[in-house]
Amino acid sequence: MGHHVLVVDDDRTVSDVVRRYLEQDGCRVRLSFDGADALAAVAAERPDLVVLDLMMPGLDGIEVCRRLRARMPDLPVVMLTALGDEADRVAGLEVGADDYVTKPFSPRELVLRIRSVLRRAAPRDAGGPVVLRDGDLTADTERRVARLGDDHLALTLREFDLLAFLLRNPGRAWSRAELLDRVWGWRFGDQSTVTVHVRRLREKIEQRPAEPRRIVTVWGVGYRYERQGPDR
């Protein structure tokens, strides 16, 4: 792969195991054992992806992710969370984590998740129009840049993927399970992931997020994208 990955975890045994598996997969890995050092490492040399433990002394993973998102909204972040603790997973997604893996985890599974996130982050021709439009909302799928009018939208990796998918497929109701499969590539997973990302995306593209006109809720099903303007 040749990607640069920053692994942030105060458990040095876990960090070393993750490092070895990622290096075997061709990644260049830097380890960080606390939040402050992680922020300094990102500022010194921006990695391609950050693996971030949620529970750390001092600056925890939530605060680190929040600060990373304020500076670099498109930097991919995979968060490590406690097994079965939905509140922790949702908290990580709320501050912009693109993916999560629960502890204890299989290092091979983590590497596969990282591959998936990096693959989606890479510029690519996804087929169809490069620039998707709905009135004043545009998403350039080649440059991975979204705008609302003249304003640049600071979207995370998954938020952009979700927006692009909905723009390509307006007028159809999608269940959370279908969106999890089509956007995240997960056949199984916590569907609250979709709920949180839809909420975050609404806050960025809707005039009144509590009364959405673009991403509408289809009760008992999921969500549907309603176009607000003609192609231009």
Side-chain angles (χ1 to χ4, degrees):
M1 293 170 61
H3 291 99
H4 176 203
V5 178
L6 174 65
V7 177
V8 188
D9 195 319
D10 63 312
D11 187 325
R12 293 175 182 260
T13 299
V14 171
S15 295
D16 189 59
V17 170
V18 173
R19 176 188 59 77
R20 285 190 285 108
Y21 272 83
L22 285 171
E23 287 179 346
Q24 288 171 9
D25 204 54
C27 292
R28 182 163 54 94
V29 181
R30 176 168 176 172
L31 300 183
S32 183
F33 304 107
D34 64 72
D37 181 72
L39 293 172
V42 170
E45 182 181 4
R46 172 173 171 148
D48 297 308
L49 181 142
V50 176
V51 177
L52 179 62
D53 185 37
L54 188 144
M55 298 299 295
M56 293 186 295
L59 289 179
D60 63 14
I62 296 295
E63 183 58 28
V64 172
C65 189
R66 182 181 289 113
R67 296 188 188 188
L68 288 176
R69 282 289 170 250
R71 301 176 189 176
M72 305 174 182
D74 59 342
L75 174 64
V77 175
V78 175
M79 190 162 281
L80 305 179
T81 69
L83 178 63
D85 196 335
E86 182 178 357
D88 282 350
R89 294 198 301 272
V90 171
L93 294 169
E94 287 281 12
V95 294
D98 296 295
D99 205 344
Y100 66 86
V101 175
T102 55
K103 289 183 174 182
F105 58 85
S106 160
R108 289 188 178 87
E109 177 193 357
L110 177 60
V111 170
L112 289 174
R113 289 290 185 93
I114 289 171
R115 279 186 191 173
S116 174
V117 172
L118 288 170
R119 186 166 56 248
R120 288 179 178 271
R124 64 195 185 282
D125 180 4
V130 170
V131 180
L132 305 169
R133 302 180 185 273
D134 176 26
D136 60 347
L137 177 63
T138 63
D140 185 328
T141 59
E142 188 172 85
R143 296 172 57 228
R144 297 189 68 86
V145 173
R147 292 187 176 277
L148 184 62
D150 294 329
D151 297 327
H152 175 265
L153 295 176
L155 302 183
T156 68
L157 170 70
R158 297 296 191 185
E159 288 167 359
F160 185 92
D161 287 343
L162 178 59
L163 175 61
F165 179 82
L166 292 173
L167 285 171
R168 285 195 178 97
N169 299 278
R172 182 198 189 281
W174 298 92
S175 71
R176 290 172 179 81
E178 288 174 322
L179 290 172
L180 203 61
D181 180 19
R182 300 291 292 273
V183 178
W184 278 259
W186 302 354
R187 294 299 176 90
F188 305 98
D190 185 353
Q191 294 183 17
S192 64
T193 299
V194 176
T195 305
V196 172
H197 278 78
V198 166
R199 182 164 63 246
R200 286 176 54 86
L201 189 54
R202 280 172 169 168
E203 290 172 354
K204 297 176 181 181
I205 70 171
E206 299 281 3
Q207 187 174 4
R208 291 186 293 274
E211 301 174 6
R213 297 181 60 189
R214 280 187 154 114
I215 307 177
V216 300
T217 299
V218 182
W219 297 107
V221 181
Y223 305 100
R224 182 180 67 246
Y225 188 88
E226 293 288 351
R227 296 188 60 81
Q228 299 300 300
D231 293 337
R232 295 189 301 187

